[in-house]
DNA sequence: CGAATAGTGTCTTTAAGACAATATGCC
DNA sequence: GGCATATTGTCTTAAAGACACTATTCG
């Protein structure tokens, strides 16, 4: 609370009014003269395409200034009667038609550098959203949204769009916002922060496996992990990988198909992820 | 961006105005009619008292509704021309007179549950601030600020004030905000989130050691770790503890005092913590 | 049966943990 | 020298990693 508010509240308190009276007084007085920022959500929406063995990120082409023509993270304003979590879920639904659960999203970081939006004072709460591949139909039409391939190598990432030739380095030391100029605002920084977060948590809280939907095989999990680690999936030893991950999984009854010994199917079994 | 804004921007874009013209147009029009939240910072300010071997947290007694008489985290509104990081440093200085560096603070989480403040729509970006013990003079006078002892046992924490008898459980599963009624708003939840974050990161990013100031001994570091782990420091084997931590430390030239073999002094040496 | 793929087992290497032995300064 | 405390070293145990072998399905 600022000094001024404290003072006013102090004066009011000394009248020994009830809490109910106080709240009524508070709401009617012109308390909102303190400047307020817009608060938005920016959503790093990721999906994994099993057929292509490719990691995808949804970006939206800006049709207006600033950053006209640049690609940007999907996002929007937070509404007064929702948490940012709910706002993220709503935004994801509006953008892709997919209704996620809280276990599919994770708050990432709040970015607030002054002038990060040249128009106005905007603070953004960023999120990571793990979509399963059925979401990939969004952006297929000629709309302004498109799924980009995201290719990581150890320590940095390359984003590559099939149509346009966007090269974007997400290094370990990305510093100034949107330094390469391909992504709007500080969204490059947000994406690199997201990737680092995912990599950092993958071995003790494998939420990224929700990219694979309800159930999946060890081999599929290996491929997803390999994508984030920026290595061919064969370099992750199947036996050891399974040994590490099994504590988060429960076996489910599902019949596989295809050549080779049929693999078992697993689902995430992490109570606190709800 | 909401649909409406997008549309307006789209219309403007089609006039082929320059970016400069656009920004002027944008700022003059009544774009700020979207409701905005207040954005505050809540600061989990921690300190460690070597003499007492005690962990401390700074709380402020609320003199006004709501939560009149409850203890609350220090905090305040974010200013338009500062990042939340800078706001946290400013707030810490205003409250304690201590000018911290960015390496002493860490953004924790952004809390935005509707009605978390009964007065108004308030979103808060919470921070952890590691103060060294010289900060402990703040709150010594008869002001409304006081340093509380914070005592953790494995899995939960007990906050205990010397004067008043506040008992506060910070369990692993603290759910509803301020459920015990001793702390204002959702500050109990914020504190428990902070503790869990510190414990989770202590072995790969030991920022908590900035509680000890510029330099410290292995034994002191052990004691700080033990406080957060909720165990007597003797249960952490000195030899093994040192082996784990040494990769983050550099030896510094400092002469110890007291009985027993003199210990070496170390300082944090983690480049990316800056 | 052979190719392909998954599962399982074993051995080696490395890290973690327990504990003992040695070093240093103060009284 | 005796005590207190820190450092260093060793041994044991558990985890991580490399690699080989077995199992199952399809054509």
């Amino acid at each position: 609370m600022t000094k001024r508010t404290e003072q006013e509240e102090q004066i009011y308190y000394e009248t020994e009014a009830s809490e109910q009276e106080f709240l009524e007084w508070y709401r009617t007085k012109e308390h909102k003269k303190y400047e307020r920022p817009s608060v938005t959500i920016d959503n790093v929406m990721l999906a994994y395409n099993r057929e292509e063995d490719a990691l995808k990120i949804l970006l939206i082409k800006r049709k207006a200034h600033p950053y006209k023509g640049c690609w940007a993270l999907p996002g929007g304003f937070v509404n007064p009667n929702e948490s940012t979590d709910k706002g993220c879920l709503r935004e994801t639904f509006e953008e892709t038609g997919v209704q996620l659960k809280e276990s599919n999203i994770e708050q990432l970081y709040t970015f607030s550098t002054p002038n990060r939006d040249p128009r106005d004072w905007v603070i953004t709460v960023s999120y990571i959203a793990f979509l399963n591949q059925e979401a990939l139909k969004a952006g297929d039409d000629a709309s302004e949204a498109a799924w980009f391939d995201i290719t990581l190598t150890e320590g940095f990432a390359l984003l590559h769009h099939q149509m346009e030739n966007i090269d974007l380095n997400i290094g370990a030391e990305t510093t100034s916002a949107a330094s390469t100029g391909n992504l709007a605002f500080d969204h490059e920084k947000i994406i690199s922060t997201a990737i680092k977060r995912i990599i950092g948590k993958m071995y003790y809280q494998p939420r990224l496996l929700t990219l694979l939907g309800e159930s999946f095989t060890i081999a599929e999990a290996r491929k997803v992990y390999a994508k984030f680690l920026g290595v061919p999936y064969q370099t992750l030893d199947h036996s050891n990988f399974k040994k590490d991950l099994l504590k988060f999984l429960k076996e489910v009854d599902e019949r596989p198909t295809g050549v080779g010994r049929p693999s078992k199917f697993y689902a995430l079994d992490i109570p606190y992820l709800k």
Side-chain angles (χ1 to χ4, degrees), chain A:
Chain A
M1 302 299 151
T2 66
K3 300 291 181 209
R4 181 168 188 175
T5 312
E6 286 285 341
Q7 254 175 348
E8 291 175 27
E9 290 182 5
Q10 175 66 23
I11 288 159
Y12 197 84
Y13 159 66
E14 282 166 3
T15 67
E16 295 296 345
S18 74
E19 171 143 1
Q20 190 55 42
E21 286 169 331
F22 170 81
L23 285 178
E24 278 163 26
W25 165 79
Y26 186 94
R27 291 209 180 89
T28 53
K29 87 191 177 77
E30 197 54 41
H31 188 268
K32 288 153 193 178
K33 59 189 146 218
Y34 297 101
E35 201 173 339
R36 298 174 173 213
S38 292
V39 174
T40 60
I41 287 161
D42 281 318
N43 207 351
V44 180
M45 293 189 193
L46 301 174
Y48 172 75
N49 187 320
R50 282 174 158 95
E51 286 74 42
E52 298 178 19
D53 183 29
L55 200 60
K56 305 279 187 175
I57 182 170
L58 188 68
L59 296 177
I60 300 202
K61 191 164 198 166
R62 286 190 58 78
K63 297 170 299 184
H65 292 301
Y67 297 102
K68 184 178 102 178
C70 289
W71 292 91
L73 292 172
F77 289 96
V78 180
N79 289 336
N81 287 310
E82 67 185 8
S83 63
T84 52
D85 280 20
K86 293 282 186 248
C88 173
L89 296 177
R90 172 178 57 75
E91 169 63 31
T92 305
F93 180 74
E94 288 171 6
E95 205 62 62
T96 66
V98 176
Q99 186 62 60
L100 293 180
K101 291 176 292 186
E102 308 247 342
S103 55
N104 293 304
I105 63 169
E106 177 170 326
Q107 187 184 305
L108 177 61
Y109 198 79
T110 296
F111 293 87
S112 59
T113 310
N115 304 314
R116 54 178 295 283
D117 187 323
R119 290 169 298 185
D120 210 344
W121 184 20
V122 181
I123 291 176
T124 197
V125 184
S126 61
Y127 275 80
I128 304 171
F130 297 104
L131 294 151
N132 84 38
Q133 67 183 23
E134 74 184 50
L136 288 170
K137 60 185 184 295
D140 267 3
D141 56 5
S143 81
E144 70 278 5
W147 287 98
F148 281 65
D149 278 2
I150 185 165
T151 307
L152 299 128
T153 56
E154 284 179 271
F156 79 101
L158 269 173
L159 253 124
H160 178 71
H161 188 38
Q162 300 88 329
M163 317 297 176
E164 322 203 11
N165 220 11
I166 290 186
D167 279 344
L168 170 65
N169 286 309
I170 303 183
E173 287 307 326
T174 308
T175 49
S176 59
S179 56
T180 66
N182 284 321
L183 279 188
F185 306 105
D186 49 4
H187 290 185
E188 183 180 335
K189 173 80 172 166
I190 295 176
I191 295 171
S192 75
T193 304
I195 301 294
K196 285 183 222 162
R197 172 76 60 88
I198 295 168
I199 294 172
K201 294 184 80 168
M202 54 164 53
Y203 283 114
Y204 69 92
Q205 199 218 72
R207 199 192 297 268
L208 73 164
L209 290 179
T210 62
L211 285 171
L212 291 169
E214 283 303 308
S215 65
F216 48 84
T217 68
I218 299 294
E220 289 168 339
R222 265 171 80 203
K223 286 177 180 175
V224 168
Y225 270 65
K227 282 291 163 212
F228 282 97
L229 293 171
V231 296
Y233 81 94
Q234 295 90 345
T235 62
L236 301 181
D237 182 89
H238 183 100
S239 171
N240 298 328
F241 183 83
K242 187 174 180 175
K243 194 161 51 176
D244 287 343
L245 222 61
L246 221 51
K247 59 177 167 289
F248 302 116
L249 306 178
K250 62 166 183 276
E251 202 176 329
V252 295
D253 195 31
E254 198 158 335
R255 285 288 78 197
T257 173
V259 67
R261 174 171 177 172
S263 55
K264 296 176 181 174
F265 277 74
Y266 298 89
L268 277 174
D269 183 31
I270 310 177
Y272 61 85
L273 268 192
K274 65 177 175 293

